[in-house]
Amino acid sequence: MTKKSRLCLVDGSSYLYRAFHALPSLTSGDGQPTGAIFGVANMVRRMLEHYEPDYVAVVFDAPGKTFRHETYAEYKATRPPMPDELRSQLEPLHELIDAMGLPRLVIEGVEADDVIATLTRQAREAGRPVLISSGDKDLAQLVADGVVLEDTMQDKQYDPGLVEEKFGVGPELVADLLALTGDSSDNIPGVEKVGPKTAAKWLKQYGNLDGVIEHADEIGGKVGDNLRGGLEQLKLSRELVELEDSVELEGGLEALKRGEPDRERMIALLKRFGFSTWLKQYTDDAGDSAASGDELVVETVTTKRQLDALVEALQSADLIAFDTETTSLEPLDADLVGFSFAVEAGKAWYVPLAHADQDNEFSADEAIEALRGIIEDDDRPKVGQHLKYDLNVLERAGIALGGIEHDTMLESYTYHSSGTRHDMDSLATRYLGRQTTSYETVAGKGKKQVTFDQVPVATAAEYAGEDAEVTLALHQHLWPKLEKLEGPSRVYRELEIPLIPVLARMERTGVALDVDVLAAQSAEIEKRLDELVEAAHAAAGQAFNLGSPKQLQEILFEQLGLPVKRKTPKGQPSTAEDVLQELAVEGHELPNLILEHRGLAKLKNTYTDRLPERIHPRTGRVHTHYHQAVAATGRLSSTDPNLQNIPIRTPEGRRIRKAFVAPPGTVLLAADYSQIELRIMAHLSGDERLLAAFAEGEDIHQATAAEVFGLEIDAVDDNQRRAAKAINFGLMYGMSAWGLSRQLELPRNEAQEYIDRYFDRYTGVRDFMQETRERARKQGYVETLFGRRLWADEIRSRNNQRRQAAERAAINAPMQGTAADIIKRAMIDVDAWIQSGDVPAKLVMQVHDELILEVDEGALESVREGVVDRMQHAAELKVELLVEANSGPDWETAH
DNA sequence: CCAGATGA
DNA sequence: TCATCTGG
C-alpha cells in the first residue's frame, strides 16, 4: 500500500481575524480593503508550498447562529460584530480561494472548528495523515498520532508531545482543560480563579473532568468553593468546548481534491486587489503556479573560493544587509558564531565561524580578516536590524563596524513609533506579510535551549541567511516610505542613526557602583522593616503579609473596618499611597506603618539589593541597555537595570545615588536641562507671558503663581507656588481638572478654576493646546520641532476614555518629543567632541533631561564648559536653554 | 502622560 | 496579569 498523502485543513476564519488585526489596512486602487485577504491568501500559499498537499479544505464559519447558541445563549455574546472593513473582504477572499483551485467549505449551523473536527475524524478512519492549520488553540483537542496542528503565524507544529508541553495535559484532556479555565473570546466562563496551571494539576490528579467533578469536595481553599459553586456551568462549558465531529458533509474526502488554479480568474482578481508581486509571478512564469517567488537560497560559505566570491560580491554591492550570530543576547558576553549577508532579494550568505559541527577550509580568524575590510569600511553602506547590538558584539571581537547607513528597527520606529513593536519578526509580519523562523525553532527553548554555536551549521545558515535577507527586504519596503517624509527622514538620518554608536559606547562603558554603600543601606533598611512588620502586626491584631495588597485590603477594610476611599479599575478597594495617606490623616495607625514599609521594601527590593547583582564580573561596572525604539514619544528607555528611575524625591531614596560613583582620579559630572519642557512649550506656543518669564530669568513656578492668583511676584507664598508647580506639571501631561484636583487635594471645581485662570493668563498656551488637539484629530499625528511624527493612534476612538487619553498624550507629545530630540542632538555632539580629541571624559548615563559623564579630575572645568555649551546649543529656541551642571565623587553630590 | 521592575 | 512605586 502506498503512503497516503496528507489532508491539509485550513481554519480560514481564525486566520481572517488574525490577519485583519495583525496586518496594516491595505486597500486596492478602488478603495476595497484587502489587508485580511492578503494575509489569509499568503498564509494559504505558504502552506501549499510547504506541504504540497493533494487534498485541501479551507473552512470558514457560516454566518448566523450555531447549535452552540441554542445550548448557551451567551455564547460569543461579548464578541463585537464583525467590522465592516473585515466583512467586505469575506466574499472576495472566497472568490480568490475558489480561483486558486482550493475546496472551500462553509456549512450552515456549525462552526469551522466542527467541520475540521469532522474531516479529521474521517481522514483518520481512512488512514490519512492530517495537518490542521489554525490560530485557534481549541483545535489542539484534535491532535493525535498522524494529526498535527500548525500555527503558521507562530511557525509551530503541535504534535501530542508539544500539546502536552504547552497545555500541561495531552490532547484528549484539552477540552476538559478549556472547560475549567473558560474561553473569554467565546464568552465561555470557566471556574473562577482557575488558570491553565491549576486546571492541568487537577486533571492530572483526578484523571479527567468527571474525576475532578466527582472529587470536588476534596479541593480546599477559595478555588475549591468556586469549583463546587460552578459545577452546573462547568458541565455546560464542557459541552460548548467539545467539537462536533459528526457534521453532515457531502462528497466525503474525495471532494477535497485540490484543483488547478483558474489562471484567468486569478489574474483578474490579483489585478483587482492590487497584489502586484503575486500577479507578476503569475504572468511571468505561466506554468509554475504560486510556488516560486519568495524562495530564499542561502549559500553557506565554507571554502576559500566561496569566501573570495563573497568578498567580491560585497565589494560590488551598493548596500550590504548584515547580521551577526552569537552565543548570547547580552553583547558583553556574546562571542561571534557567524556572519550573514544579503545584497539582493532571494539570496543570502552565511559564514560559520564557531559552530561545533563546522568544517571550513579557513579558520575563523582568516574569515574575519578577509571580511574586515568590508565590515569596517565607512564607505561601504550597511543596513541591519538593531545594529547597536552588532556594533557592540563586533567591538568585543576586535572589529569596528563602519558604514552604519540604515537600521530597519529605527526606520520603522521613526516612520511610526507606536502601534507595533520594532523587532524583526513583528516588522516582517507587519510590512512584508512574511513569517520568519523564530530563534526558538533553531535553538530550542526553555531547558532544551542551546547556544547558537551548538546549532548545526545547516540549520543556522537557513535562519541567519533569512535574517539578513529579510532585513534587506524590510529596508527596501520601509525606506521609500520614510524617505518621502521630510521631517521623519531627517530625524532618522540626523538623530537616530548617529545615536547608535553613542549609545553603544555608553552601554559598553557602564557606570561604577560602590557596593559597600548599598550593602550598608540594605542592612539598615532590613532592621527597620523588621520593626515595622512587628508594629503592623500588633496594630492589626494578627500576622499578615504587608507586601500583599490583597491581604492588606482584607485587614484594613474588612477586619478594621476603615472606610474605602477609592476602588481600583477592577473594583477592588484601593490601597494606593494617596489613599493610605488620607487614612493616616484620619488618625489610623496602620496606614502609616504600611506606607513606610512599602517605601523601604521597594527601595531594598528594587535598588539596594538588586543593583549589586547587576555588576558585570568582567568590567566591575553596571551596564544598562538603552532602547531606542520603545517609547512612543522618541525618548530612550533603559532596562536591565533601569537607570532612569533611580530615586531622588525622598532623602532615603536619594541616598542610593551615593552608590553611583566615579573611580579614583575622576569625578561624575551631572548636567541637566532646567525646565526644558516648559521652555519648549513657550517656544512652540509663542506665548508672550511665558516667553517673558523665561527671558527675565524668573522662577517659573513663582511667576505662574503670580499670574494665576493675581499677585505681585514677591507676594507669592509657598503654598501658591506649590499649586502653580502642580499646574505646570499637569500642563505637560495634558492636564485634566480631575488629575489636578487629586494632585492638590482640592475639589474638582476649584481645580477647574485654577486651570481656567491659567488659560486666561496664558492664552498662547491655550491656543497652542487647542491647535495641537485639532491637528492630532485631523491628521492623526503631531510633530516635534525637528519633524519627528508622533501618532495619536486612538484619537478617533469612540471610547471617550481612550480618545481623551489619546488627546492628552497628543498634547504632551510635541514637548516631550522635542525634549527627547534636543538631548539626542546634544549627546551626538558631546560624544563627537569627546571622540574627536583628547577630552578625558566618558558619557555614562542619560536620564531624559540629564547627561552624566565620568571626567578626569584635572579636566573638569573644561569638560563642564564644553558639555554645557553643547547642550545649550543643541537647539535654538525663542528662549534660552538653561543647563545646570555639577560635579562630585558620586551622583548624589553631583546633583 | 510615558516608561520599567517587583511581588503576589 | 494586576497593583504599586520609581523616574521623567
Side-chain angles (χ1 to χ4, degrees):
Chain A
M1 203 175 98
T2 56
K3 199 176 165 205
K4 295 199 176 169
S5 81
R6 191 196 296 264
L7 168 65
C8 283
L9 300 172
V10 180
D11 183 351
S13 290
S14 100
Y15 282 117
L16 189 67
Y17 271 97
R18 285 180 66 183
F20 180 65
H21 289 108
L23 295 170
S25 42
L26 305 172
T27 41
S28 63
D30 61 0
Q32 159 77 41
T34 54
I37 303 175
F38 186 71
V40 177
N42 259 328
M43 210 285 305
V44 172
R45 284 168 74 201
R46 274 204 303 277
M47 190 274 295
L48 294 176
E49 275 173 41
H50 193 235
Y51 295 100
E52 300 182 348
D54 296 325
Y55 290 85
V56 177
V58 184
V59 189
F60 290 91
D61 292 338
K65 304 229 178 233
T66 71
F67 68 91
R68 287 194 181 79
H69 290 96
E70 287 169 25
T71 315
Y72 179 50
E74 299 298 299
Y75 183 66
K76 293 194 174 174
T78 47
R79 193 174 284 191
M82 188 185 276
D84 288 343
E85 201 187 327
L86 180 54
R87 187 185 303 277
S88 69
Q89 299 185 63
L90 214 51
E91 194 47 46
L93 176 61
H94 289 176
E95 276 184 63
L96 184 62
I97 286 170
D98 293 348
M100 288 168 82
L102 305 176
R104 176 172 59 83
L105 294 179
V106 186
I107 311 293
E108 217 170 296
V110 290
E111 289 172 55
D113 291 2
D114 302 309
V115 176
I116 290 173
T118 302
L119 291 169
T120 302
R121 181 183 54 78
Q122 291 178 357
R124 289 187 69 189
E125 286 165 7
R128 190 179 288 284
V130 179
L131 175 99
I132 302 167
S133 186
S134 172
D136 188 345
K137 292 295 182 298
D138 292 7
L139 289 169
Q141 54 186 292
L142 298 178
V143 170
D145 276 345
V147 181
V148 171
L149 170 66
E150 171 182 80
D151 183 337
T152 307
M153 288 187 150
Q154 285 184 2
D155 199 30
K156 283 200 178 119
Q157 281 90 29
Y158 290 89
D159 57 12
L162 195 61
V163 169
E164 168 101 38
E165 195 178 306
K166 163 94 186 177
F167 291 87
V169 297
E172 68 287 350
L173 288 177
V174 165
D176 287 358
L177 183 116
L178 290 173
L180 282 165
T181 59
D183 183 339
S184 57
S185 71
D186 290 349
N187 198 30
I188 294 176
V191 176
E192 228 180 305
K193 295 284 166 198
V194 172
K197 285 269 159 62
T198 313
K201 194 182 80 189
W202 289 351
L203 289 171
K204 280 228 166 95
Q205 194 170 351
Y206 302 112
N208 57 27
L209 189 64
D210 291 335
V212 174
I213 292 173
E214 224 169 275
H215 294 88
D217 292 339
E218 300 166 18
I219 294 167
K222 192 113 192 199
V223 276
D225 294 339
N226 292 343
L227 172 63
R228 285 182 287 280
L231 287 181
E232 276 316 301
Q233 177 61 50
L234 188 55
K235 287 170 192 162
L236 180 59
S237 295
R238 181 62 177 76
E239 260 180 70
L240 290 168
V241 297
E242 171 94 61
L243 297 181
E244 166 64 51
D245 70 356
S246 306
V247 175
E248 271 193 44
L249 301 172
E250 284 170 30
L253 294 180
E254 273 316 300
L256 305 182
K257 201 156 177 31
R258 179 180 168 192
E260 286 297 311
D262 180 337
R263 243 186 118 241
E264 297 296 304
R265 267 177 84 194
M266 283 300 287
I267 290 172
L269 286 170
L270 296 177
K271 272 190 186 153
R272 191 173 116 205
F273 301 150
F275 296 167
S276 46
T277 320
W278 192 359
L279 177 66
K280 198 151 168 285
Q281 280 167 33
Y282 241 89
T283 42
D284 284 357
D285 40 55
D288 191 356
S289 68
S292 63
D294 15 302
E295 259 168 48
L296 167 65
V297 178
V298 183
E299 179 180 335
T300 308
V301 178
T302 59
T303 69
K304 290 185 174 171
R305 246 184 102 131
Q306 283 177 302
L307 190 57
D308 290 342
L310 168 60
V311 169
E312 206 168 298
L314 296 178
Q315 273 167 343
S316 56
D318 297 327
L319 181 67
I320 301 169
F322 176 62
D323 190 29
T324 55
E325 301 304 329
T326 72
T327 52
S328 168
L329 286 172
E330 169 53 61
L332 251 68
D333 305 325
D335 292 322
L336 269 179
V337 178
F339 291 134
S340 59
F341 300 93
V343 299
E344 61 181 323
K347 161 103 179 116
W349 290 272
Y350 184 62
V351 186
L353 297 172
H355 287 267
D357 72 333
Q358 79 184 40
D359 182 20
N360 294 352
E361 271 183 27
F362 45 79
S363 69
D365 281 343
E366 283 168 336
I368 288 172
E369 289 320 312
L371 292 163
R372 181 187 295 276
I374 288 166
I375 296 174
E376 297 195 337
D377 193 340
D378 282 330
D379 295 324
R380 294 196 187 280
K382 323 277 187 314
V383 57
Q385 161 72 16
H386 193 197
L387 277 173
K388 171 160 67 69
Y389 173 81
D390 303 85
L391 181 61
N392 273 336
V393 167
L394 290 169
E395 175 76 24
R396 175 168 146 72
I399 305 166
L401 176 61
I404 297 179
E405 184 88 358
H406 289 294
D407 188 316
T408 46
M409 179 182 81
L410 300 176
E411 283 175 342
S412 170
Y413 178 68
T414 32
Y415 182 67
H416 196 143
S417 66
S418 50
T420 178
R421 284 166 45 237
H422 305 280
D423 58 290
M424 201 177 68
D425 292 355
S426 306
L427 298 186
T429 307
R430 180 178 173 88
Y431 292 111
L432 306 176
R434 258 171 95 168
Q435 195 61 37
T436 54
T437 313
S438 72
Y439 186 78
E440 277 83 18
T441 40
V442 295
K445 58 172 183 170
K447 276 182 218 145
K448 280 182 266 173
Q449 188 162 59
V450 297
T451 51
F452 204 76
D453 54 323
Q454 300 303 315
V455 175
V457 170
T459 319
E462 287 302 316
Y463 168 81
E466 182 183 64
D467 274 8
E469 203 260 353
V470 167
T471 301
L472 188 65
L474 274 172
H475 168 70
Q476 284 163 349
H477 179 92
L478 282 166
W479 178 239
K481 291 157 85 111
L482 181 59
E483 200 181 15
K484 272 191 227 129
L485 309 178
E486 197 198 325
S489 70
R490 206 181 120 207
V491 166
Y492 170 78
R493 271 183 285 108
E494 297 179 11
L495 294 182
E496 301 299 354
I497 292 288
L499 194 62
I500 295 172
V502 180
L503 294 178
R505 215 175 340 267
M506 288 170 69
E507 292 179 2
R508 287 201 305 274
T509 304
V511 61
L513 211 58
D514 186 334
V515 257
D516 296 340
V517 170
L518 293 173
Q521 197 177 352
S522 270
E524 279 177 41
I525 290 174
E526 188 160 6
K527 198 163 143 249
R528 180 65 188 144
L529 282 177
D530 289 343
E531 291 168 11
L532 285 167
V533 168
E534 204 172 317
H537 288 178
Q542 59 179 293
F544 67 101
N545 182 350
L546 276 75
S548 163
K550 247 170 82 187
Q551 290 186 30
L552 198 56
Q553 275 161 29
E554 173 114 1
I555 298 278
L556 287 175
F557 304 114
E558 287 174 34
Q559 310 273 343
L560 298 182
L562 302 191
V564 174
K565 299 285 175 187
R566 191 154 51 83
K567 296 204 167 174
T568 65
K570 267 187 81 188
Q572 302 288 310
S574 170
T575 64
E577 173 167 337
D578 53 344
V579 172
L580 294 184
Q581 246 152 22
E582 206 174 321
L583 292 171
V585 172
E586 289 170 16
H588 303 285
E589 188 191 358
L590 193 51
N592 259 333
L593 298 171
I594 301 291
L595 280 171
E596 192 184 348
H597 182 273
R598 250 192 209 162
L600 290 176
K602 181 84 183 174
L603 234 46
K604 185 166 185 287
N605 293 332
T606 316
Y607 304 107
T608 60
D609 283 355
R610 293 310 164 84
L611 284 172
E613 297 169 1
R614 292 296 183 161
I615 294 177
H616 195 277
R618 192 154 42 75
T619 67
R621 294 163 67 103
V622 173
H623 304 264
T624 186
H625 297 81
Y626 289 105
H627 300 275
Q628 211 178 339
V630 172
T633 52
R635 276 189 176 179
L636 299 175
S637 83
S638 155
T639 65
D640 306 298
N642 182 352
L643 295 186
Q644 292 180 323
N645 69 347
I646 303 298
I648 190 168
R649 294 175 195 181
T650 66
E652 310 92 78
R654 194 175 308 136
R655 239 180 94 182
I656 292 169
R657 296 184 171 222
K658 276 262 169 223
F660 288 78
V661 294
T666 64
V667 287
L668 288 184
L669 174 69
D672 69 286
Y673 284 108
S674 168
Q675 311 291 358
I676 188 168
E677 291 188 11
L678 278 177
R679 284 169 197 267
I680 291 166
M681 187 160 76
H683 174 85
L684 292 176
S685 68
D687 184 280
E688 297 296 337
R689 279 204 169 84
L690 203 53
L691 285 171
F694 278 121
E696 301 293 319
E698 284 170 9
D699 173 332
I700 196 66
H701 301 314
Q702 199 181 357
T704 303
E707 293 290 346
V708 170
F709 298 108
L711 303 164
E712 287 299 313
I713 194 135
D714 297 324
V716 172
D717 67 28
D718 282 356
N719 215 22
Q720 288 160 334
R721 185 179 181 279
R722 194 178 63 87
K725 190 174 173 180
I727 294 172
N728 281 329
F729 222 80
L731 272 173
M732 290 175 303
Y733 300 148
M735 187 159 57
S736 63
W738 182 79
L740 186 66
S741 71
R742 241 175 51 129
Q743 182 71 34
L744 291 176
E745 293 164 348
L746 282 173
R748 263 275 276 286
N749 54 350
E750 257 177 77
Q752 186 60 53
E753 224 169 279
Y754 283 12
I755 295 174
D756 291 344
R757 286 215 295 261
Y758 180 94
F759 284 137
D760 280 348
R761 301 302 290 164
Y762 297 97
T763 53
V765 173
R766 183 192 63 203
D767 296 345
F768 167 71
M769 291 194 163
Q770 188 52 33
E771 281 160 24
T772 304
R773 198 178 286 122
E774 278 164 13
R775 197 171 311 136
R777 203 166 316 166
K778 210 167 103 217
Q779 57 189 21
Y781 63 85
V782 293
E783 286 168 296
T784 68
L785 187 58
F786 298 93
R788 183 191 297 278
R789 280 193 189 176
L790 308 167
W791 291 81
D793 293 334
E794 290 194 323
I795 199 82
R796 293 197 189 90
S797 172
R798 286 177 309 282
N799 178 322
N800 278 331
Q801 229 180 343
R802 284 175 169 225
R803 190 185 59 252
Q804 282 165 7
E807 282 178 7
R808 287 195 290 272
I811 287 172
N812 167 251
M815 293 178 278
Q816 196 179 100
T818 300
D821 292 346
I822 289 176
I823 198 161
K824 283 178 172 178
R825 280 167 69 105
M827 290 168 75
I828 292 164
D829 200 15
V830 166
D831 180 77
W833 176 57
I834 291 172
Q835 297 306 317
S836 72
D838 49 354
V839 180
K842 292 170 188 158
L843 273 168
V844 295
M845 288 190 276
Q846 189 255 38
V847 191
H848 307 308
D849 61 358
E850 175 183 14
L851 293 179
I852 295 101
L853 295 93
E854 198 175 281
V855 187
D856 273 13
E857 257 164 4
L860 179 60
E861 271 321 301
S862 67
V863 172
R864 184 211 303 274
E865 263 177 50
V867 169
V868 169
D869 184 58
R870 281 167 179 78
M871 286 175 74
Q872 278 185 330
H873 295 106
E876 298 301 329
L877 306 186
K878 293 174 189 158
V879 292
E880 177 189 46
L881 282 174
L882 188 64
V883 173
E884 288 169 358
N886 291 296
S887 60
D890 61 78
W891 193 9
E892 201 262 337
T893 315
H895 219 282

